[in-house]
Amino acid sequence: MPNVVILSGSPSATSRTDVVLKFVQSLLERENITVKYVSVLDISAEDLLYARYNSAEIKQIAKSIEEADGVIIGSPVYKASYTGVLKALIDLLPESAFKGFPVLPLMVGGSKAHLLAIDFALKPLITTLKGRATQGTYIIDNQIDKENSLQPITDQDIQARLNNDLEEFLQIIKQTKPITA
């Protein structure tokens, strides 16, 4: 059974990014995908601030990623990029943390003006960690209903794009995952 890690880079407990990522988690689990959800909010601030890459918590996150077949990484758009706290976490992971497996980037922003943040900020970060970035989905804040966890994306075109991106992500996992008896 495929194993996916979802990394949430949102520093807000009431984030639209987390609403979407939790929704994606539920979609994957319906397909019998094992999902480990990691939020920057669940990591010790001291570990992130003082770059404690040897902390038990950071080592466990790195191990979960190492054992994964794919990663989904999500962030709100801050200053035309991903969040600083996500960068702080990424900086503590091994250089080849995403070791050639698929990584689906998701970003949530206030307008279409930051649509290219996935291509110009998040995908280069994924590549630096040796990941294979897939297309990626950008969602505008007003296309998310935070009160509807069962179907938070209100725009049908965006939902269709997310479904296609997830399908591509899962196809890559299936193509690259060794078959075990």
Side-chain angles (χ1 to χ4, degrees), residues 59-70:
K59 284 182 174 182
Q60 181 57 48
I61 292 167
K63 184 176 190 245
S64 294
I65 292 170
E66 179 184 316
E67 295 172 350
D69 300 305

Side-chain angles (χ1 to χ4, degrees), residues 6 16-17 19-28 72-74 104-108 118 134-139 143-144 150-170:
I6 295 178
R16 285 178 176 81
T17 302
V19 169
V20 171
L21 291 173
K22 292 286 187 179
F23 174 62
V24 167
Q25 178 180 7
S26 72
L27 294 175
L28 292 173
I72 296 173
I73 186 168
L104 173 61
L106 299 173
M107 293 189 90
V108 175
I118 287 178
T134 62
Q135 183 63 35
T137 305
Y138 180 85
I139 307 168
Q143 296 170 324
I144 301 167
L150 297 176
Q151 184 56 57
I153 299 173
T154 60
D155 184 283
Q156 290 180 351
D157 290 337
I158 295 298
Q159 181 61 59
R161 184 173 305 135
L162 177 60
N163 290 343
N164 289 338
D165 289 346
L166 281 171
E167 181 61 32
E168 174 194 12
F169 174 73
L170 293 175

Side-chain angles (χ1 to χ4, degrees), residues 30-83:
R30 279 188 235 156
E31 297 294 322
N32 294 316
I33 309 292
T34 301
V35 178
K36 171 143 177 82
Y37 196 94
V38 176
S39 170
V40 293
L41 291 174
D42 299 331
I43 301 168
S44 160
E46 290 79 18
D47 285 351
L48 294 171
L49 182 63
Y50 297 113
R52 294 182 180 149
Y53 62 90
N54 278 327
S55 79
E57 193 171 20
I58 298 298
K59 284 182 174 182
Q60 181 57 48
I61 292 167
K63 184 176 190 245
S64 294
I65 292 170
E66 179 184 316
E67 295 172 350
D69 300 305
V71 171
I72 296 173
I73 186 168
S75 177
V77 176
Y78 282 15
K79 308 290 185 201
S81 188
Y82 45 83
T83 63

